[in-house]
Amino acid sequence: MKILSGIQPTGRFHWGNYFGAIRQYIALQGHEQSFYFIADLHALTTIREPDVLRQNVKDAALDLLALGLDPKQATLFRQSDVPETTELTWLLMTITQMHLLEKCVAFKDKKAKGIAADAGLFTYPVLMAADILLYDSTTVPVGADQIQHVEVTRDLAQRFNTMYGETLHLPEAYVLDDSAKVPGTDGEKMSKSYNNTIPIFETPKKLRKIIMSIKTDSTAMESPKNPETCSVFELYRLFATPEAQKTLAERYRAGGMGYGEAKETLYQAAIVHLGEAFDRRTQLETSPDVVEDILREGAHRARAKAQEVLERVRSACGLLSKPV
Ligand code: TYM
């Protein structure tokens, strides 16, 4: 399998990013190709402060490494360190039909809200297609919200191949059912734009406060409760073993347990699960040069593959395989 995925450095990563994507990055590292990148070019469509973007990229790298991404088993790089990406984006743009992009959710949502979208947001899925196709990727671990973009990528690859002959490989999204759409504190999809996130790296005190704020229904303490319709339980499931899940589900159904107690159980599980990464992050923060070296080395490896694929694409559509 040739794995590739990207994550935007738009702020602090949250549990949705972790369970929907990052955990899969780590589980899949060590394959024939495991490429993961920080999508700073994509982030330019929303972050307009250069210092914030620079800081976010550093934080993103620290977070990923602390969570277990191992540079010996995977290649971690900054998207903007591979300029072949933007060249392939243009080549793909020339074969992209407008209607394909008009139906993409991020653009459609903005338009529906009456917000003027710029060309960057409109063509965002083509940049993402270039990210994926540039490395002959077969498998793209993502959450459910990105499936549409992987479908666009497949459509573009197919269209290119029909026009110019077999050149690009068709990738597939890799989505785990039980973490495809992690709920936020209000029960909707966890997302920075909904202001409902639980950050992965948070101080215990703040984390506890956020968990205590998760919205639940008003079933009385003594009454039986349904774990299947409760966000607290849905989140707990992501951390807990099947036995631990069963134990908490039984306590829900038996009655006599308040939501406060369920939230406390979730908090404890999160602390245990993420505690080690928290310590690793603190450690890594003291060596920013090491992190920068990892990104540079990663870009070097990624570019070698990107150049090979781009030469093939340039040549297929009638350009010189390499610029003179
Ligand atoms: P981004 O940065 O919004 O999110 C990164 C990853 O986290 C997943 N995710 C979730 N999964 C489950 N539940 C949630 N609540 C949740 N919130 C976020 C996302 O599905 C994603 O996998 N366009 C991409 C970045 C990108 C990319 C790529 C991904 C750029 N190029 C090439 C794959 C391949 C994005 O904005 O993800």
Side-chain angles (χ1 to χ4, degrees), residues 121-179:
L121 184 78
F122 184 62
T123 53
Y124 175 115
V126 188
L127 178 59
M128 180 158 161
D131 290 328
I132 297 171
L133 299 173
L134 194 53
Y135 306 100
D136 288 337
S137 319
T138 59
T139 313
V140 187
V142 282
D145 60 335
Q146 298 298 323
I147 295 176
Q148 187 185 36
H149 294 148
V150 180
E151 290 302 319
V152 169
T153 305
R154 292 173 61 88
D155 285 352
L156 292 181
Q158 215 145 22
R159 197 170 154 80
F160 189 97
N161 290 348
T162 307
M163 284 180 163
Y164 295 119
E166 281 306 309
T167 312
L168 297 167
H169 292 259
L170 267 59
E172 270 177 44
Y174 176 93
V175 186
L176 294 189
D177 286 346
D178 53 3
S179 59

Side-chain angles (χ1 to χ4, degrees), residues 171-234:
E172 270 177 44
Y174 176 93
V175 186
L176 294 189
D177 286 346
D178 53 3
S179 59
K181 193 175 162 195
V182 176
T185 52
D186 57 358
E188 298 301 319
K189 185 196 108 175
M190 190 178 290
S191 165
K192 243 194 83 193
S193 39
Y194 301 157
N195 232 335
N196 64 357
T197 61
I198 309 181
I200 302 171
F201 294 103
E202 189 51 283
T203 59
K205 199 168 156 208
K206 283 201 191 137
L207 178 64
R208 193 161 188 281
K209 196 162 165 223
I210 298 172
I211 290 177
M212 290 300 157
S213 78
I214 297 172
K215 215 165 105 188
T216 48
D217 64 27
S218 51
T219 314
M221 154 104 178
E222 55 281 1
S223 310
K225 298 176 179 62
N226 184 358
E228 301 306 325
T229 55
C230 177
S231 308
V232 179
F233 189 78
E234 205 177 325

Side-chain angles (χ1 to χ4, degrees), residues 15 203-209 211-212 232 236 239 260-273:
W15 287 9
T203 59
K205 199 168 156 208
K206 283 201 191 137
L207 178 64
R208 193 161 188 281
K209 196 162 165 223
I211 290 177
M212 290 300 157
V232 179
Y236 180 72
F239 289 104
E261 213 180 311
K263 289 175 181 176
E264 184 62 35
T265 310
L266 170 62
Y267 167 72
Q268 295 298 342
I271 291 282
V272 170
H273 192 94

